[in-house]
Amino acid sequence: AQSVAQPEDQVNVAEGNPLTVKCTYSVSGNPYLFWYVQYPNRGLQFLLKYITGDNLVKGSYGFEAEFNKSQTSFHLKKPSALVSDSALYFCAVRDGDNFNKFYFGSGTKLNVKP
Amino acid sequence: GAVVSQHPSWVICKSGTSVKIECRSLDFQATTMFWYRQFPKQSLMLMATSNEGSKATYEQGVEKDKFLINHASLTLSTLTVTSAHPEDSSFYICSANLVSGPNNEQFFGPGTRLTVL
């Protein structure tokens, strides 16, 4: 069975500092991993994905994520946080048998303070 | 990029009434759309997969007679919450794939906030 875990309910960071939002996964087969961001009362916006290739994936709004197979992790990172990055972030994994099915983590609320 | 819209963005209804939520793919055709619900401070839970021209596929534990899904065209799927009750109050989000296969990504609608009084 596929699953992802986001161990932190909330991450607080000061503006301008680097940020990391953690995600670990458990899959049978090749992992197809995604990060989405959700602003209040809005749907999810795609940030980036890992299918294959380079372990460092670059995405929208300056975000990147590092795929680490040995640690089964896919942490989201940004070198310099902005107040506007404050939102809810979801890690997701695609089902290996049904590409249409996603499993989402519990979400991490990112607070960037001025 | 691909755009998915939902209507209405929010709705308040009385207990016992039915509510219809529309999900549209604006600039692409989607043979498959997905319906999720999200409770406050919780993750998205897939409710069902909406298939154009055929019956929806429901996830375990989701009542198909309560959550009616119709995917009548390649750009429109509807979710009808029948005989709504306060426990049905939630944020409902739809999504659609731009292309099929392992490299696709789901594009999400802005969501519909349902409040049942």
Side-chain angles (χ1 to χ4, degrees):
Chain A
Q2 324 287 66
S3 67
V4 291
Q6 294 179 243
E8 303 157 316
D9 291 336
Q10 186 167 293
V11 169
N12 299 312
V13 65
E15 187 175 29
N17 284 359
L19 70 87
T20 299
V21 182
K22 296 180 181 178
C23 171
T24 58
Y25 65 88
S26 174
V27 302
S28 54
N30 295 324
Y32 298 94
L33 298 160
F34 299 76
W35 274 102
Y36 286 86
V37 59
Q38 184 181 34
Y39 295 97
N41 294 311
R42 303 298 299 274
L44 274 65
Q45 296 179 31
F46 170 78
L47 281 179
L48 50 80
K49 64 182 176 184
Y50 173 83
I51 304 298
T52 185
D54 291 339
N55 290 340
L56 185 63
V57 180
K58 293 189 181 297
S60 305
Y61 312 120
F63 283 93
E64 57 189 29
E66 186 171 8
F67 171 70
N68 189 317
K69 188 174 182 179
S70 62
Q71 298 184 4
T72 62
S73 67
F74 189 55
H75 300 332
L76 181 70
K77 299 180 179 183
K78 187 172 183 180
S80 178
L82 300 172
V83 173
S84 57
D85 292 330
S86 299
L88 191 56
Y89 291 81
F90 289 99
C91 181
V93 63
R94 169 174 284 138
D95 190 290
D97 295 323
N98 181 354
F99 290 133
N100 291 324
K101 194 167 182 177
F102 280 59
Y103 298 91
F104 287 87
S106 55
T108 298
K109 189 172 189 304
L110 173 66
N111 296 312
V112 182
K113 298 183 178 179
Chain B
V3 178
V4 176
S5 70
Q6 281 184 243
H7 178 80
S9 56
W10 60 270
V11 57
I12 301 173
C13 69
K14 293 182 179 180
S15 184
T17 60
S18 295
V19 174
K20 180 185 284 188
I21 303 171
E22 294 184 348
C23 176
R24 293 182 185 273
S25 57
L26 296 186
D27 50 1
F28 67 102
Q29 294 181 333
T31 56
T32 306
M33 292 183 173
F34 308 90
W35 287 97
Y36 295 83
R37 71 184 293 183
Q38 183 182 28
F39 291 103
K41 299 183 179 180
Q42 294 189 26
S43 188
L44 280 74
M45 298 297 294
L46 179 64
M47 298 175 64
T49 301
S50 173
N51 304 299
E52 188 268 336
S54 64
K55 292 183 178 180
T57 304
Y58 290 82
E59 294 300 303
Q60 191 173 6
V62 178
E63 298 177 58
K64 62 180 181 180
D65 294 331
K66 180 166 186 63
F67 298 100
L68 299 179
I69 291 174
N70 186 4
H71 195 151
S73 78
L74 288 173
T75 59
L76 174 64
S77 174
T78 60
L79 168 68
T80 301
V81 183
T82 62
S83 186
H85 290 282
E87 57 266 30
D88 298 324
S89 298
S90 189
F91 195 52
Y92 292 87
I93 303 175
C94 72
S95 70
N97 290 340
L98 180 58
V99 295
S100 60
N103 289 328
N104 69 357
E105 61 198 56
Q106 289 197 7
F107 291 88
F108 288 81
T112 297
R113 172 76 59 192
L114 171 62
T115 302
V116 184
L117 303 177

